[in-house]
């Protein structure tokens, strides 16, 4: 299916690796112009590699999304040059690298950094690009949330709370942008073996008692087969494909929604 995203432009924040990178790649495969933004300088190599197989223009920029001034500066720079920029994806994220179960095993001081990147970074980007999105005529904003948002995950409580807040804020964004024909949605990925997921799960595995402790890979694969009805990990490209669909006119009546791409882990009955 041609999603007709050629001549569209997308900014993917958190695009150097993992899910954000896969989202950017799917936009590139659709022929869109892509700007990868990330705090990690390796974003430049990631963009160069992506440009080899893309027909659209692929660029990269270093951005710390928690720095609102830097976000506003980028929005200002892109205003003149990138007249076709009409999709924004916020895929940057971090875990605390700590482990709850119960929550008091963490400290309140473990929270601010996690909220800063996962929530305030997204808020900064929405604010910084709001003037542009109001003028673009037709566009979308996508937030990468998590199924943790819907289950009060004990694994990393500040992460879970930040993701719940993002889902809520996304609905505000959807309501406020609707009259400008800009849609806002969230994708909640299930379990994807990225750097972030491995750091959280490795911390979890470390907490097993010595006699129960097993090789991380065996333990994690067995866990997935138990918690996921489809019995498998999700892939970054699963999220990328949903992202381009949500940005396209095939989803022109979808706004304010959270789509779980999670192999059925979350099912509300
Ligand atoms: N991997 C999973 O299983 C999973 C599940 C649910 C949700 N998610 C969410 O998906 C998104 C992507 O995560 P991932 O698993 O691909 O992790 P990842 O660690 O592979 O990628 C995250 C990216 O965000 C960037 N980043 C971090 N802080 C930033 C900042 N201040 N400014 C700009 N960029 C910053 C990192 O440099 C990195 O490139 C995150 O929001 C994460 O919470 C992941």
């Amino acid at each position: 299916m041609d999603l007709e995203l050629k001549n569209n432009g997308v900014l993917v924040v958190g695009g150097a690796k993992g899910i954000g990178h896969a989202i950017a790649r799917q936009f590139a495969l659709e022929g869109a112009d892509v700007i990868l933004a990330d705090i990690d300088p390796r974003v430049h190599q990631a963009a160069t590699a992506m440009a080899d197989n893309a027909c659209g223009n692929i660029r990269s920029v270093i951005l710390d999304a928690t720095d609102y001034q830097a976000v506003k500066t980028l929005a200002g720079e892109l205003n003149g040059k990138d007249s076709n920029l009409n999709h924004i994806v916020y895929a940057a994220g971090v875990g605390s690298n700590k482990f709850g179960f119960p929550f008091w095993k963490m400290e309140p001081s473990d929270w601010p950094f996690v909220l800063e990147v996962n929530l305030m970074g997204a808020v900064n980007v929405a604010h910084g690009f709001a003037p542009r999105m109001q003028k673009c005529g037709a566009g979308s904003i996508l937030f990468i949330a998590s199924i943790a948002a819907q289950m009060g995950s004990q694994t990393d409580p500040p992460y879970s709370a930040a993701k719940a807040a993002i889902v809520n804020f996304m609905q505000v964004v959807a309501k406020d942008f609707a009259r400008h024909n800009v849609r806002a949605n969230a994708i909640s990925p299930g379990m994807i073996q990225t750097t972030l997921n491995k750091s959280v799960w490795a911390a979890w595995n470390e907490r097993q008692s010595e006699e129960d402790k097993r090789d991380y890979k065996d333990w994690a694969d067995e866990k997935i087969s138990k918690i996921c009805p489809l019995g498998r990990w999700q892939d970054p490209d699963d999220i990328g494909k949903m992202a381009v669909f949500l940005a396209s006119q095939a989803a022109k009546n979808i706004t304010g929604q959270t789509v779980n791409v999670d192999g059925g882990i979350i099912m509300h009955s």
Side-chain angles (χ1 to χ4, degrees), residues 14 16-19 38-40 63-66 91-94 117 144-146 159 163 189-192 194-197:
K17 65 178 190 305
I19 293 170
D38 205 289
I39 197 170
D40 185 339
L63 177 74
D64 178 357
T66 67
V94 291
V117 177
I144 303 305
S146 168
Y159 176 83
K163 294 298 185 178
M191 301 297 170
I192 300 175
T194 60
T195 314
L196 189 152
N197 179 272

Side-chain angles (χ1 to χ4, degrees), residues 247-260:
S248 76
Q249 284 302 297
K252 69 180 189 295
N253 280 313
I254 302 177
T255 196
Q257 306 305 309
T258 302
V259 182
N260 296 334

